């Protein structure tokens, strides 16, 4: 028991990274997968967990050994000026501008969780539609992001992640998992008609490039030395599996909800009450609220880390980027503005940057001068190369679909 307690005491940024990808977008994609295809696409989430363990583990190891963030290492390691500025420019576009667009979705998703329980709280001023829940979430996120104690922020987020995980997993258990279908969907490759884009979405919403930057920077703050590398590996393994379980729980809950179509994530919470009682609705609503709030905090953090590494910003300038991303998100959400074009741009930018950043990360993970005996093994390089090829194909398909 004491060993288990010590493991959780030693947890680092892994759960925060897991919370970063379990945002309202992930809730929506997983819920749609469950509504439209039941358990059949769970294997895609299992594949996503494997990719996350591989690449988030690399990013964390890079941060622990180098004591630098990924963007800073990129800036210092790429000698060719044209290649360097191209990589940094694409990273800036995808992470900072993209996260500003996604931030609106994060805050809106969290607001939907509150709306599902407490009803709407809005006010119309001329053509504008103010959502006070969005302002509330934005204020909470701002206070935490401006906190001078990162440990306090980390503990708050970790607590919220644990509660969110319990909420989603408990909802799935209440909804009565069909275990034979669950394991068939998990370990059998299935692609029902019309499911290809959903498979891409399930993987794309779990394996996101900004988490690589976030993980490296947070790991550098948390640990150092070979002992830190060992702890970071365990942290990544536990957190990514937990994140995968939460995503699978959402798929299961949606599959058992009886919904025929899902237009917004809060519909799932509303649909569970008649079937499994109000407790299921409240658990899922809280999970959606927590998913929105944690992503609303981690997205600006990641943008700040990237900007600092790319431009060598001081702390005040980094905070300015963080606040900018948050304010854009709050504005898009609280005014009810349609941010479809911005979100589409963010998706295109992320689709482009993922294989690019993965290639750069793989290259840096073989730098003996930077990592010494902690550089990649041959097996890690082979698996990483296969993932890069897969990500490149996924990017082409995503861009083609969006355009």
């Amino acid at each position: 028991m004491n060993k288990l307690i010590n493991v959780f005491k030693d947890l680092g940024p892994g759960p925060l990274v897991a919370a970063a990808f379990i945002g309202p977008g992930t809730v929506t994609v997983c819920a749609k997968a469950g509504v439209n295809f039941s358990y059949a696409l769970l294997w895609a989430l299992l594949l996503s967990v494997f990719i996350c363990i591989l690449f988030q583990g690399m990013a964390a190891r890079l941060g622990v050994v180098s004591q630098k963030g990924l963007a800073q290492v990129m800036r210092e390691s790429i000698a060719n000026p044209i290649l360097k500025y191209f990589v940094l420019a694409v990273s800036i576009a995808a992470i900072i501008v993209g996260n500003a667009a996604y931030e609106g979705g994060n805050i809106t998703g969290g607001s939907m969780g509150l709306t599902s329980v407490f009803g709407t709280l809005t006010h119309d001023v001329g053509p504008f539609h103010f959502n006070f829940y969005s302002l509330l979430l934005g204020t909470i996120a701002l206070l935490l992001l401006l906190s001078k104690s990162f440990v306090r922020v980390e503990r708050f987020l970790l607590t919220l992640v644990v509660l969110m995980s319990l909420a989603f997993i408990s909802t799935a258990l209440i909804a009565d998992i069909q275990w034979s279908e669950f394991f068939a969907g998990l370990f059998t490759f299935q692609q029902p008609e019309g499911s290809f884009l959903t498979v891409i979405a399930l993987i794309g919403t779990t394996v996101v490039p900004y988490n690589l930057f976030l993980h490296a920077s947070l790991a550098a703050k948390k640990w150092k030395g070979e002992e830190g590398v060992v702890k970071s590996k365990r942290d990544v393994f536990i957190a990514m599996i937990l994140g995968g379980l939460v995503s699978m729980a959402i798929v299961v809950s949606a599959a058992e909800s009886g919904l025929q179509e899902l237009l917004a994530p809060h519909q799932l919470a509303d649909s569970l009450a008649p079937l499994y009682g109000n407790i299921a609705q409240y658990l899922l609503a809280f999970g959606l609220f927590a998913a929105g709030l944690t992503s609303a905090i981690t997205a600006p953090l990641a943008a700040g880390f990237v900007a600092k590494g790319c431009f060598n910003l001081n702390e005040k300038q980094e905070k300015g980027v963080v606040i900018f991303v948050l304010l854009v998100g709050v504005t898009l959400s609280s005014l009810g503005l349609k941010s479809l074009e911005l979100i589409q741009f963010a998706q295109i930018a992320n689709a482009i940057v993922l294989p690019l950043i993965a290639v750069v990360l793989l290259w840096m993970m073989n730098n003996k001068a930077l990592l010494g005996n902690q550089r990649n093994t041959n097996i890690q390089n082979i698996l990483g190369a296969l993932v890069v090829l897969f990500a490149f194909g996924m990017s082409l398909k995503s861009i083609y679909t969006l355009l």
Side-chain angles (χ1 to χ4, degrees):
M1 185 65 180
N2 288 334
K3 287 184 178 180
L4 183 61
I5 293 173
N6 289 332
V7 167
F8 282 96
K9 279 185 177 180
D10 285 337
L11 284 178
L16 308 189
V17 173
F21 74 70
I22 305 173
T26 299
V27 174
T28 302
V29 169
C30 290
K32 284 188 173 183
V35 168
N36 295 331
F37 306 105
S38 190
Y39 295 76
L41 302 183
L42 286 174
W43 62 267
L45 289 174
L46 185 62
L47 176 61
S48 301
V49 169
F50 164 75
I51 296 173
C52 280
I53 289 174
L54 181 65
F55 273 88
Q56 296 298 154
M58 290 183 196
R61 182 159 32 105
L62 179 70
V64 173
V65 177
S66 69
Q67 288 294 287
K68 300 173 184 177
L70 177 55
Q72 183 181 352
V73 174
M74 287 164 48
R75 176 169 55 84
E76 295 175 354
S77 300
I78 302 176
N80 186 297
I82 296 176
L83 179 60
K84 176 192 294 188
Y85 292 122
F86 172 74
V87 171
L88 294 180
V90 172
S91 299
I92 289 293
I95 309 303
I96 298 181
V97 181
N99 277 3
Y102 280 131
E103 188 71 351
N106 292 333
I107 295 173
T108 298
S111 301
M112 286 179 180
L114 294 176
T115 300
S116 182
V117 176
F118 301 109
T120 57
L121 186 60
T122 60
H123 182 68
D124 293 332
V125 179
F128 298 110
H129 185 70
F130 285 90
N131 185 332
F132 290 103
Y133 292 138
S134 298
L135 297 176
L136 174 63
L137 264 69
T139 301
I140 295 172
L142 180 64
L143 292 174
L144 286 165
L145 288 166
L146 293 180
S147 172
K148 293 183 179 180
S149 173
F150 185 78
V151 173
R152 187 183 306 157
V153 177
E154 189 177 45
R155 286 176 180 171
F156 174 83
L157 286 173
L158 184 58
T159 301
L160 206 56
V161 169
V162 171
L163 293 175
M164 174 183 71
S165 302
L166 290 174
F168 281 127
I169 292 172
S170 297
T171 304
L173 294 174
I174 290 172
D176 191 20
I177 299 174
Q178 305 300 311
W179 289 107
S180 60
E181 293 182 36
F182 178 85
F183 287 112
L186 198 61
F187 297 112
T188 305
F189 175 79
Q190 305 175 63
Q191 197 174 327
E193 185 178 354
S195 66
F196 180 75
L197 291 181
T198 305
V199 170
I200 296 296
L202 285 171
I203 297 172
T205 197
T206 307
V207 186
V208 289
Y210 87 73
N211 273 351
L212 298 174
F213 292 92
L214 181 66
H215 212 151
S217 296
L218 292 177
K221 288 176 178 286
K222 180 73 176 181
W223 296 301
K224 59 183 176 181
E226 292 198 10
E227 184 183 358
V229 171
V230 173
K231 289 182 177 181
S232 72
K233 288 179 181 178
R234 182 171 57 198
D235 180 60
V236 168
F237 187 78
I238 293 173
M240 296 306 106
I241 288 179
L242 178 62
L245 288 174
V246 170
S247 296
M248 291 174 193
I250 298 168
V251 173
V252 169
S253 299
E256 301 298 334
S257 68
L259 282 172
Q260 299 300 313
E261 184 182 18
L262 185 79
L263 299 177
H266 71 278
Q267 282 182 278
L268 182 56
D270 297 340
S271 70
L272 291 176
L275 296 172
Y276 307 108
N278 288 335
I279 185 64
Q281 178 190 11
Y282 294 151
L283 284 171
L284 199 60
F286 174 78
L288 183 56
F289 162 76
L293 181 56
T294 52
S295 295
I297 295 170
T298 52
L301 266 181
F305 287 142
V306 173
K308 180 179 181 180
C310 289
F311 300 119
N312 196 25
L313 303 182
N314 59 38
E315 185 176 347
K316 186 176 181 181
Q317 292 168 326
E318 180 188 1
K319 288 285 187 184
V321 173
V322 169
I323 293 171
F324 167 77
V325 171
L326 177 62
L327 290 180
V328 169
V330 171
T331 301
L332 291 173
S333 178
S334 62
L335 296 182
L337 298 177
K338 294 182 179 179
S339 55
L340 180 60
E341 289 80 8
L342 281 173
I343 291 174
Q344 284 183 330
F345 168 76
Q347 290 173 328
I348 292 172
N350 279 340
I352 294 171
V353 83
L354 178 57
L356 174 65
I357 297 303
V359 168
V360 174
L361 179 59
L362 271 177
W363 171 66
M364 290 188 296
M365 294 307 297
N366 287 276
N367 188 330
K368 187 175 181 180
L370 182 67
L371 296 173
N373 63 358
Q374 293 296 339
R375 64 189 185 279
N376 268 2
T377 64
N378 289 333
I379 293 177
Q380 288 171 325
N381 284 330
I382 292 171
L383 292 174
L386 291 173
V387 170
V388 167
L389 290 174
F390 173 78
F392 182 71
M394 185 178 72
S395 297
L396 291 178
K397 182 65 177 179
S398 299
I399 294 168
Y400 174 78
T401 302
L402 287 170
L403 294 178

